[in-house]
Amino acid sequence: MKLLLPSALDEALDMLAASEAIPMAGGTDLMVHWPQNLDAHSRTYVDLSRIDALRGYRLGADELVLGGATTYWDVIEDAAVCEAFPMLARAARQVGAIQIQTRGTWAGNIVNASPAADGVPVLMAYDASLELVSTRGTEIVALADFYRGYKQMRRTHDQLIRAIRLPRRSYTIEHFEKVGARKAQAITKVGFALTRSEVGWRVVANSVAPTVCRCPAVEEVLTSERTVSAPEGLLPALDQDIAPIDDLRSTAAYRRRVLARVLYACLAPLCPGFGPSKTASPIPPLAGPDEPDR
Amino acid sequence: MASSDLDARSTSTVARPTSPVATITGAPAGDDEMVCGEGSGEDGTDDCIDIEFSLNGESTSVLVNPADRLLDVLRDQLDLTGTKEGCGEGECGACTVILDHLPVNSCLVPAYQVRGRRVETVESLTDEDVAHLHASGATQCGACTPGVAMTARWIVDRPHLLSRHTLRALMAGNLCRCTGYDGIIEGIELDLTAREDAQRGSTG
Ligand SMILES: Cc1cc2nc3c(=O)[nH]c(=O)nc-3n(C[C@H](O)[C@H](O)[C@H](O)COP(=O)(O)OP(=O)(O)OC[C@H]3O[C@@H](n4cnc5c(N)ncnc54)[C@H](O)[C@@H]3O)c2cc1C
Ligand code: FES
Ligand code: FES
């Protein structure tokens, strides 16, 4: 393994431009099973832990700017940030457990590009944009446009996320939901983040597609104030937005049905068009014997 | 696990061979043959690097391989074997140490990242620090105990955390397969109460 130890951002960018090196932030993705992960040992790493320009964050009147090395714990511990962007703190508290929250970074969550990432949906529902920097200059990319496919991103190997920018808006609804096997140390089986502000609805789901994804068809249902009298009423729209799969944590069928239910449960008290019509039959049980709740 | 190679590597307490012997590319961390390789400046070094940091309050300097985890450096080079490896994937918390005042899993921390920083390990705890955990039956097999004791100490030193977090949420990164957690939680609560009483006694 080769190591590059920059102490300033420019130095790091020069190093990235001159090599195929991988940025190392908190290591909570890259260092998992490190001794056994021999492929990883043949790579070159650029340590980001000494770069002041990536640390810290700034809450201004118009925006919150998270640094490229800001951790979950940085956000959890800052009362003003938690108040301005409550979903950030809610999601951060559900990432792994304390020892992961103190090391894991928002930028690392974005670039690791897991469809199950918990930080990405809340950032996307807050319309975050990324400041990508390299020796070639700075590029601003909306997080919602950042992913191209499973683990595919609009980031070239020489670019670092220098900052994550979240515009301040008047949110009337902010909701984050994570369905996992237990309260801590759980990878999301299905989840979503949802906001409503002066720019409209944002519905972002995780673990139901090759990437964390916006759900434009569901957003349209909400914008047009369509009547939805039961969770199943969301499925036609959801099916346009998501493409869940079976894997070791859950099944496609479970993910689809549960996402409809948790979304519905969140929206029913908030949207006039939502709620059981007076004649609707009670909600059928969640999982039949042929559809184990994993 | 990590202790199997202890004999081969702990002959000197701190230093590894400084002269280039072989390239480590591809060698698993903890492998007996892991020695430092020839580096080159421009495209990265695979030389050992000398890191200085504060370890349990004392300034420490040690040569580490770029691929070393903090956990292995503590156990194999510095002979601080109190910190345990349970899972090696950040789940169990047995390897918890305090890095710059925050609990971290040392199995996920590249050793080079602690240069210039403060590391506290279970060896820094006194009998008094763990007395309440002992009294409440927080330990059975003991595999989780060093990590539990470190997170517990971190919390007890910062009781204000409990205004915004529950004790169980703060302890959620320390898995225990024996005790069912009640003894652990009770021990920390006893410790918190004792410290509060002591403070009240000293100020009032
Ligand atoms: C036990 C455990 C539990 C976990 N639980 C959860 C969970 O519940 N939810 C969840 O979402 N995740 C979870 N994770 C995954 C992980 O903690 C997060 O994805 C975390 O945010 C990664 O951040 P990091 O700084 O540790 O990334 P690293 O491992 O350092 O890096 C991850 C990737 O990001 C790249 N990178 C990092 N910073 C930058 C930057 N500034 N610019 C460009 N590229 C960069 C790296 O090169 C690498 O490709 C868990 C991990 C563990 C070990
Ligand atoms: S050994 Fe580090 S968390 Fe389990
Ligand atoms: S005492 Fe055995 S794992 Fe906790």
Side-chain angles (χ1 to χ4, degrees):
Chain A
M1 172 191 148
K2 289 196 172 184
L3 182 61
L4 295 157
L5 297 170
S7 49
L9 184 61
D10 285 351
E11 209 183 327
L13 296 180
D14 286 340
M15 290 167 170
L16 284 164
S19 67
E20 292 280 322
I22 301 170
M24 176 70 76
T28 62
D29 281 311
L30 290 173
M31 295 295 292
V32 171
H33 285 312
W34 178 255
Q36 290 81 39
N37 190 2
L38 296 184
D39 279 353
H41 293 224
S42 57
R43 307 294 302 265
T44 301
Y45 294 85
V46 178
D47 179 30
L48 302 186
S49 70
R50 285 295 185 87
I51 302 179
D52 284 341
L54 297 177
R55 266 192 288 222
Y57 52 89
R58 190 180 72 246
L59 180 64
D62 300 331
E63 62 175 355
L64 168 66
V65 183
L66 300 175
T70 301
T71 64
Y72 300 109
W73 191 252
D74 289 335
V75 165
I76 292 169
E77 281 296 277
D78 190 300
V81 175
C82 293
E83 201 188 316
F85 293 91
M87 285 199 304
L88 290 185
R90 236 171 279 150
R93 281 165 173 262
Q94 294 193 53
V95 171
I98 298 295
Q99 292 94 330
I100 300 296
Q101 294 158 16
T102 55
R103 294 275 301 164
T105 63
W106 297 90
N109 198 238
I110 293 168
V111 176
N112 184 55
S114 164
D118 292 313
V120 177
V122 290
L123 293 171
M124 211 182 276
Y126 280 134
D127 276 350
S129 58
L130 308 178
E131 208 178 291
L132 297 167
V133 284
S134 70
T135 52
R136 296 171 292 117
T138 301
E139 198 185 337
I140 308 288
V141 178
L143 180 56
D145 300 330
F146 185 62
Y147 298 107
R148 297 169 183 274
Y150 179 67
K151 300 255 174 188
Q152 302 293 306
M153 283 158 270
R154 280 171 207 273
R155 167 186 172 259
T156 48
H157 81 271
D158 60 337
Q159 286 180 317
L160 281 180
I161 296 182
R162 178 169 56 196
I164 306 165
R165 297 177 172 274
L166 287 71
R168 291 191 78 164
R169 298 202 169 119
S170 335
Y171 287 102
T172 50
I173 298 174
E174 294 157 278
H175 194 100
F176 170 73
E177 194 76 40
K178 168 171 176 169
V179 179
R182 46 188 183 267
K183 281 190 183 166
Q185 301 290 43
I187 297 178
T188 299
K189 294 182 191 197
V190 45
F192 71 86
L194 181 149
T195 57
R196 185 182 196 184
S197 71
E198 62 271 28
V199 299
W201 291 91
R202 299 287 184 267
V203 179
V204 182
N206 59 344
S207 282
V208 289
T211 70
V212 174
C213 62
R214 282 265 305 260
C215 297
V218 174
E219 288 172 7
E220 171 55 26
V221 168
L222 299 173
T223 308
S224 58
E225 298 185 356
R226 248 175 277 159
T227 304
V228 180
S229 55
E232 288 67 27
L234 283 170
L235 288 175
L238 262 186
D239 287 340
Q240 296 174 49
D241 291 331
I242 68 172
I245 56 165
D246 293 352
D247 66 11
L248 76 170
R249 270 181 291 280
S250 192
T251 62
Y254 175 91
R255 290 183 155 119
R256 176 174 173 270
R257 283 185 81 180
V258 171
L259 180 56
R261 276 156 191 272
V262 288
L263 264 175
Y264 182 85
C266 158
L267 291 164
L270 306 170
C271 303
F274 274 61
S277 68
K278 308 301 166 252
T279 57
S281 56
I283 298 169
L286 181 62
D290 57 335
E291 195 182 288
D293 173 6
R294 295 197 253 180
Chain B
M1 206 186 278
S3 60
S4 60
D5 52 332
L6 201 63
D7 298 340
R9 299 177 64 191
S10 62
T11 41
S12 84
T13 46
V14 177
R16 278 189 186 170
T18 46
S19 57
V21 183
T23 305
I24 56 114
T25 312
D31 191 284
D32 284 353
E33 293 306 311
M34 200 162 91
V35 283
C36 301
E38 233 161 332
S40 59
E42 295 272 290
D43 59 343
T45 180
D46 51 9
D47 273 344
C48 282
I49 45 172
D50 200 355
I51 60 167
E52 270 187 52
F53 63 106
S54 156
L55 177 59
N56 297 331
E58 286 187 24
S59 163
T60 304
S61 146
V62 59
L63 274 176
V64 304
N65 199 292
D68 283 343
R69 304 174 298 174
L70 176 58
L71 172 67
D72 302 319
V73 170
L74 292 172
R75 290 182 54 85
D76 300 349
Q77 286 186 256
L78 297 167
D79 279 338
L80 296 182
T81 53
T83 304
K84 304 299 180 203
E85 175 159 16
C87 63
E89 59 176 50
E91 294 269 354
C92 75
C95 66
T96 301
V97 301
I98 309 298
L99 174 59
D100 281 351
H101 313 290
L102 292 173
V104 303
N105 291 321
S106 60
C107 70
L108 298 182
V109 177
Y112 55 81
Q113 285 195 345
V114 307
R115 59 204 200 284
R117 302 175 68 179
R118 292 175 54 139
V119 177
E120 287 156 69
T121 69
V122 68
E123 283 83 0
S124 69
L125 299 187
T126 62
D127 287 351
E128 200 190 335
D129 284 325
V130 290
H132 290 105
L133 286 173
H134 281 319
S136 65
T139 295
Q140 287 180 29
C141 81
C144 69
T145 305
V148 165
M150 288 312 286
T151 312
R153 223 280 287 282
W154 177 71
I155 297 166
V156 171
D157 285 346
R158 294 164 186 78
H160 65 270
L161 286 169
L162 294 165
S163 63
R164 297 184 59 229
H165 305 268
T166 65
L167 192 45
R168 280 178 193 268
L170 292 172
M171 291 302 297
N174 291 92
L175 304 188
C176 173
R177 302 200 70 174
C178 304
T179 66
Y181 299 103
D182 287 352
I184 293 173
I185 298 298
E186 193 192 317
I188 301 173
E189 280 170 348
L190 285 171
D191 207 12
L192 282 162
T193 313
R195 296 244 187 152
E196 214 173 279
D197 289 349
Q199 247 160 27
R200 213 173 289 137
S202 67
T203 56

